[in-house]
Every structure is written in C-alpha cells, then in structure tokens.
Amino acid sequence: MINRQPFSLRNTIFLRLLSTFLIIILPIILFGVYLYHWIVQTASEDISKTAISQITFYLTDLENEVERMKLLQYGILEDEDLNEMSLTWDTMDVFKRTEKINSLRKRLYVIENSSTYIKNVSVHIYPLSKTISSATGPRELDTNRYYGLPSELNSRNNGIIEWNGGLYLSVAKQSATYGNPPLFIIEIELDQQKLQEALSQFNTYTGSGTLMISDKTGLILKSGSIEHLQLDMTAAVQQTKESQIYHTGTITISGSRYNTAVASSDYLKMSIYRFIPEQLFKKPLGKFYMWAWLFIFAAIVIIGGYAFYTYKFIHKPLLTLVKSFRRMENGHLDVNIQHESKDEFGYLYSRFNQMVVNLRSLIDQVYKQKIMAQRAELKQLQSQINPHFLYNSFFILKTMAKIGDVERIEHFTTQLGEYFQFVTRNASDEVLLKQEIHHARMYTEIQELRFSRRIRVQFDSLPQEIEQVSLPRLIVQPIIENAFEHSLEQMKQNGCIVIRFEIEETEIRIVVEDNGESLTDNGLQLISASLDNGDDYMETTGLVNIHRRLKITFGETYGLRVHRSELGGLKVMICFPLKGGAARD
C-alpha cells in the first residue's frame, strides 16, 4: 500500500502562480523576439539622439552663461568708479585713487567668481596706462592685449574671441573724441581647462571623445580618448558636417567606426562633436536575446517568492509598528503590541512597549522639572533689586532729618518699609494687580518727594473690574523706575510721566510713558531688538527681565511693547491677558 503524502503540489499557490506566469510570459517571449531585432536597428539612433540632447542642452547652457558674462561686462562698462577714474584720474589724491581701484577690483573679483568658466577679468584703462586684473590687481597697461584684442565697440553681437591661443570676451568704452583709442577695454578670459573638464562629462562610454570647434578660427578643444588618436581631426570633422544645426552620422577614424552626434550654436559660432564607438552598444546587444529572457524568468520567480515572504514576515509586522508609532504621535500612550514569534520583531515590539512605558514616566518627570525650573527662574529674576533707589531713599531721609520734618520722616519710612517688604517677599510668584499697582504708586510717591520741583506724575486710578487679575510681581514699578533713571532724572524742569490703563476684550495694557528728551531713534531700535532677542543665555535685567517673565507666565503673544511716546519720550506697554493667572499667597 502506497502512503500518500499530505502535501499536494497540484494544490499549492506556487504552482498556480507559476502556471499563470507562463501563460502571461509566452506572448511576451514572442514579442521579445521581434523586439530584439527592432532594438538592434534603433539602439544606435537612440544613443545618438540622447547624445545630441545632452550636448544641445550643454550648448544652450553655455550660450546663457556667455550672455550673462557679457551682461556683466556691460554692467562694468557703466561703472561709476571706472568712468570717474578714466576721466578725473589726474585730479584724484592717492587715497581716492586707491579706494577707486580697490572698489573696481572687488567688482571684477565678484565677476570672476560668478562662473567656473572665467579665468580672469581685466580692465585696460588707456588714460591711466594701467591694467587692473581681478587676479593680479593693478599693473602697467598691457598694450599687447589692449591693441591686440579685437572688440566691437558698444555692440552685443561680438562673440567669443580667439587670440594667441586663448578665448576671450571683450567690450570697449569709446572715447568722446572720434578717432582716439577707447577709454578702456573690459576683457574676460575664459578658462579652457574648465571647458575641457565640462566636455569630459559626455565621455560616459569607454573609447568615446568630445570636440569643441570654433567655426570662425578652427580652435579645437579635445576631451576623452579622441585626444590620443593619430588622425587629421579637421578631415574627420568634415565627414560629419551637414546643413542642419543638429545631426547624427557614422564616420571611420583610424579604422574604427564611430557614431557621431553634432550640435552647433550660431550665437557662439561653435560646434560640439561627440564620438561614440559603434562596438560599445552592438556587442552587448548580441547576447541580449538569451540573457534578457533568462533574467526575466529568474527575476519573476524570485520576485514572486520574495514578495510573498516579504509581505508576511517583514512588511506586515513593520506596518503594525508604523501604525503603533502613529498612534503614539497622536498622543495615545496606551499602545501595546503583541507578537507571538520570537524573532527580531518580537524584540522590537517588546522594546517599543517598554519605550512607551518609559516615555509616560519621563513625561511626568520632565513636566514637573520644567515647572520647578520656571519657578526657580522667576525667583531669580524677581531678586534683582537696583541699589540706586535704596541710596537715594537714605539721602531723602537724611535731608528730612536735617530740616526736622519728623511727620514726613514717619510717613516716608512707613512707605519705604512697605516698599522693601513687597520687593523682598518670596512667598508667592504672582500677586493681584491691585497689590502691584499699590506698590508702584508707593514707589512713585517716594520719587515725587525727590523730584517734586521738576517732575510731574500723572497716575490714573486702577479700574475696579481688573483689580483681582493676577500677574508676576515687580512688573510695573521697574518700568516707572526706568523712566525716572534714564529719561526724567536728567531733565532740569517740566518732566512728566504718565501711568494709565487700557482694557480690551481679551487684553490689559498698562501704559507708562514720559517726555524724556534723551531717547534717540537708534536707542529705541536697540531696546526693541533686545526684547525680540530670544537668546536663553542673555543677561536678563531691566525691560528684558520683565518681558521674559511675562512671556514665561502668559505665553509668547504677551510681554512688553515699546514705541515713541506722543509726549516725546519712551512709551512702554505692559500687555497680559484679561483673565491673568491665579494669585497665590
């Protein structure tokens, strides 16, 4: 008795896929036979067309580059420094001459660095008998180039000039007197080595080469294996010349056949010839038929099995992991992935689950640390007290004691005690706006005792509806102190400071402005810039101190805003939300 195996090949998906693949691939094989013959005939043409497309694109790019260089030349032609030197050189002192030469050389240097194809930029100035070069600077007039370089004056139709084995672009500024030599000639020397390096990008095939030929002078730039062939290049080029600007063909050079691609530029009066050995693309095509179909057969079988197992064992587990990450990114930190297999994904899933647990723990820790750090920073910022006010208060007490004004001494010391009690109290980070304004008003009254004869204070009443709004301590008084110290203290008379309140739908603004005369536009810009500076390590004092505390407490949209006051001095607006925070005792 024959025991049947439980496995039946006939019922497997593999056999069904293989049968389906053979049914589909048979018409493709028949079509491939026909395609092979067609490819052999068209491969050469396709490669040649691709070559033409590449060199045509390069020629167009080179035309644009040359046109840009010429526009830069004509820009220099109207340069004020250059024209001023040409006409008023004898009237300039040494300093001004040096300044003009350096300015011109910097501009020439910028033009030189604007293109890799520029080797040097020079200006030959006839009235000065000087040549100024971007590479070597000023020197004696290069008469060989001045008289030797042909140039069509004030015309943009002159192309690339071939002179003494080099390539140049040249324009000239005609003298005001007819028949005299040009005032100056602007010359751009092209880097032939860079042009050859650019041509080498087309030598993608072994044994291929590229030529660039000037239609006017016959100058030839060679690149690639074509440089090493012993032949008459002029005769080889003549084989490819036709009436079209772009064309292809086949020529024989030193016994080897080359497919050629030619592109010409009427603007540059130059042509590029690209030579590709014919054997490069014919040899691989000889085995194309057999290897192509063997590859397709093996590839389909491998891809089929690979796709199945990849999806089951890699793609699907990865998709699960990606979905879990996306859920976590959306704030769901209760994600937990279950995986039965003890493979790499099992390890990744277990690490992911542990990472989520650690992340929840870290978020709690970081949040608490951030709150503690912010509170510590607020404590540190609030601890900054200007000793200048303390010294002045003692001087006021001294004056009162001298004149025997006991009643005012008692009132003043009471105010001073309440002032420093408020400043040095560390029990809370925030206070009610009513308490903050009472403290600021107390400070203002103390200062009025000192400046009563020359400074007038207008302190509006605090609206009752915002008395219970809470905000960080020591916000208003330092602004008033800043106005006294930096604006009003220097005024001999008629000083004025105004403190008022503005209420909008969602925002409260406490406005402190003065009529100080020492604030300049530059000073106002510096103050505004210091407030906008977000550097966490900058010194946090004065207005910046208060601005940063408000932003920490209420958010980035609040803080200080500075303008020039209609009174003439500085206008500071303290902005915070209408609801404020919750004051703590």
Side-chain angles (χ1 to χ4, degrees):
M1 183 177 180
I2 301 175
N3 293 328
R4 291 188 178 182
Q5 299 291 332
F7 175 80
S8 176
L9 185 62
R10 181 172 50 185
N11 297 324
T12 60
I13 297 178
F14 171 77
L15 185 58
R16 294 175 184 177
L17 289 175
L18 183 59
S19 301
T20 304
F21 169 75
L22 291 176
I23 294 173
I24 295 174
I25 204 68
L26 185 60
I28 299 177
I29 294 175
L30 297 176
F31 176 74
V33 175
Y34 165 78
L35 188 63
Y36 167 77
H37 296 285
W38 178 79
I39 288 177
V40 171
Q41 296 175 2
T42 58
S44 176
E45 181 180 354
D46 289 343
I47 293 177
S48 298
K49 287 182 179 179
T50 301
I52 281 186
S53 176
Q54 292 173 342
I55 60 179
T56 300
F57 177 83
Y58 173 74
L59 266 180
T60 302
D61 186 70
L62 186 59
E63 287 178 355
N64 294 334
E65 186 70 7
V66 170
E67 177 63 17
R68 189 185 65 82
M69 294 179 195
K70 294 175 68 175
L71 289 174
L72 292 175
Q73 275 186 311
Y74 281 93
I76 289 290
L77 204 65
E78 303 301 327
D79 184 76
E80 294 181 1
D81 291 336
L82 178 57
N83 283 274
E84 184 179 353
M85 283 194 298
S86 302
L87 299 174
T88 63
W89 178 260
D90 293 335
T91 63
M92 294 181 181
D93 56 26
V94 175
F95 175 78
K96 191 170 184 180
R97 289 179 179 181
T98 303
E99 181 183 12
K100 296 296 183 182
I101 290 175
N102 290 337
S103 175
L104 177 60
R105 188 183 177 189
K106 287 179 182 178
R107 188 165 181 185
L108 298 180
Y109 187 74
V110 170
I111 295 176
E112 178 186 349
N113 289 329
S114 67
S115 174
T116 57
Y117 296 137
I118 298 179
K119 184 177 182 180
N120 187 24
V121 184
S122 301
V123 179
H124 308 289
I125 310 175
Y126 182 79
L128 278 63
S129 297
K130 287 185 178 296
T131 293
I132 301 176
S133 168
S134 62
T136 61
R139 62 180 189 275
E140 293 299 319
L141 180 67
D142 191 335
T143 54
N144 290 333
R145 292 194 178 187
Y146 180 84
Y147 294 105
L149 277 174
S151 60
E152 298 177 22
L153 303 182
N154 298 322
S155 170
R156 298 192 179 188
N157 297 323
N158 58 313
I160 297 178
I161 301 170
E162 193 276 324
W163 181 73
N164 280 356
L167 298 177
Y168 301 87
L169 295 174
S170 176
V171 295
K173 179 77 170 184
Q174 184 59 278
S175 175
T177 306
Y178 180 78
N180 285 349
L183 286 176
F184 49 83
I185 295 177
I186 302 170
E187 162 215 320
I188 294 180
E189 182 181 2
L190 302 181
D191 194 334
Q192 297 187 49
Q193 182 178 355
K194 294 296 183 181
L195 289 171
Q196 282 187 312
E197 291 175 0
L199 292 178
S200 65
Q201 66 180 312
F202 302 118
N203 303 325
T204 54
Y205 302 102
T206 304
S208 62
T210 309
L211 301 178
M212 178 181 284
I213 300 178
S214 171
D215 296 341
K216 295 191 298 184
T217 64
L219 176 69
I220 297 178
L221 295 178
K222 304 177 184 179
S223 177
S225 299
I226 205 75
E227 296 179 2
H228 308 294
L229 295 178
Q230 301 298 323
L231 70 149
D232 183 0
M233 294 306 302
T234 304
V237 167
Q238 288 297 327
Q239 296 182 51
T240 67
K241 283 195 173 182
E242 296 179 6
S243 58
Q244 300 95 335
I245 296 178
Y246 312 108
H247 58 273
T248 61
T250 304
I251 64 172
T252 301
I253 303 176
S254 298
S256 301
R257 291 186 61 79
Y258 290 82
N259 271 44
T260 63
V262 183
S264 301
S265 169
D266 289 335
Y267 177 76
L268 298 176
K269 299 297 186 291
M270 302 185 82
S271 300
I272 294 181
Y273 296 77
R274 189 173 175 186
F275 301 86
I276 304 173
E278 195 175 56
Q279 62 182 6
L280 286 177
F281 50 85
K282 279 196 171 182
K283 184 177 180 180
L285 290 176
K287 299 181 180 180
F288 174 83
Y289 184 82
M290 177 182 66
W291 288 109
W293 297 115
L294 287 175
F295 175 78
I296 290 175
F297 177 80
I300 294 297
V301 174
I302 295 172
I303 290 173
Y306 179 78
F308 174 77
Y309 286 101
T310 299
Y311 175 80
K312 182 177 181 181
F313 297 108
I314 298 178
H315 177 73
K316 194 173 180 179
L318 274 178
L319 191 61
T320 301
L321 189 61
V322 169
K323 289 181 179 179
S324 300
F325 270 112
R326 287 178 178 172
R327 287 194 62 195
M328 188 179 68
E329 290 173 354
N330 291 330
H332 301 284
L333 298 181
D334 56 346
V335 182
N336 187 276
I337 308 176
Q338 300 296 328
H339 189 65
E340 297 179 357
S341 301
K342 295 182 179 180
D343 54 10
E344 290 82 357
F345 282 104
Y347 175 78
L348 286 176
Y349 288 171
S350 66
R351 294 298 91 199
F352 174 86
N353 294 335
Q354 185 61 42
M355 180 191 69
V356 172
V357 173
N358 294 340
L359 185 60
R360 288 199 295 263
S361 176
L362 286 174
I363 287 175
D364 291 338
Q365 294 178 14
V366 170
Y367 178 76
K368 293 176 181 178
Q369 290 175 359
K370 182 178 180 181
I371 295 299
M372 292 176 65
Q374 287 184 347
R375 289 176 62 87
E377 183 178 17
L378 287 173
K379 293 289 186 184
Q380 187 273 330
L381 292 175
Q382 290 174 349
S383 67
Q384 299 176 2
I385 302 174
N386 185 359
H388 183 68
F389 173 75
L390 180 61
Y391 302 153
N392 288 331
S393 298
F394 284 135
F395 285 132
I396 294 174
L397 282 173
K398 178 182 177 182
T399 302
M400 291 180 180
K402 280 186 175 181
I403 64 176
D405 193 350
V406 178
E407 183 178 352
R408 292 181 66 192
I409 289 177
E410 180 182 0
H411 179 67
F412 181 77
T413 52
T414 301
Q415 288 181 322
L416 198 62
E418 291 181 5
Y419 172 83
F420 282 108
Q421 182 183 19
F422 185 88
V423 170
T424 57
R425 186 174 60 186
N426 291 321
S428 63
D429 298 325
E430 296 181 357
V431 295
L432 296 178
L433 181 57
K434 178 181 179 180
Q435 297 171 316
E436 178 69 17
I437 295 304
H438 175 72
H439 171 72
R441 191 181 297 275
M442 230 178 357
Y443 171 80
T444 307
E445 291 175 358
I446 293 173
Q447 291 290 53
E448 277 189 295
L449 289 175
R450 181 184 174 197
F451 301 106
S452 58
R453 297 181 179 179
R454 51 192 178 98
I455 296 178
R456 177 175 56 87
V457 179
Q458 176 187 330
F459 204 129
D460 290 358
S461 299
L462 176 66
Q464 187 175 2
E465 61 267 26
I466 61 174
E467 286 182 350
Q468 300 304 313
V469 173
S470 62
L471 74 167
R473 295 192 311 117
L474 294 176
I475 293 298
V476 181
Q477 177 264 323
I479 304 295
I480 300 174
E481 181 179 358
N482 183 76
F484 274 105
E485 289 187 3
H486 299 288
S487 296
L488 303 178
E489 188 174 2
Q490 302 173 7
M491 299 183 65
K492 301 299 183 182
Q493 59 183 358
N494 298 327
C496 178
I497 181 171
V498 177
I499 302 96
R500 53 189 171 86
F501 306 91
E502 297 177 357
I503 305 175
E504 291 192 353
E505 294 182 359
T506 60
E507 186 176 88
I508 300 173
R509 290 195 292 267
I510 303 174
V511 182
V512 180
E513 55 185 330
D514 59 72
N515 66 343
E517 301 174 350
S518 61
L519 180 65
T520 63
D521 291 339
N522 185 47
L524 183 61
Q525 291 177 0
L526 290 175
I527 295 173
S528 180
S530 65
L531 295 180
D532 293 337
N533 192 337
D535 188 357
D536 290 337
Y537 299 99
M538 68 179 293
E539 184 181 359
T540 53
T541 58
L543 299 182
V544 177
N545 179 323
I546 298 170
H547 181 66
R548 183 167 178 180
R549 291 165 60 193
L550 289 171
K551 291 177 68 175
I552 291 175
T553 305
F554 300 117
E556 294 295 323
T557 57
Y558 299 100
L560 299 187
R561 300 167 194 165
V562 294
H563 307 281
R564 182 172 291 280
S565 171
E566 295 178 357
L567 301 177
L570 179 65
K571 176 181 180 181
V572 180
M573 293 190 295
I574 308 170
C575 305
F576 53 94
L578 182 59
K579 293 183 178 180
R584 295 179 294 274
D585 293 331

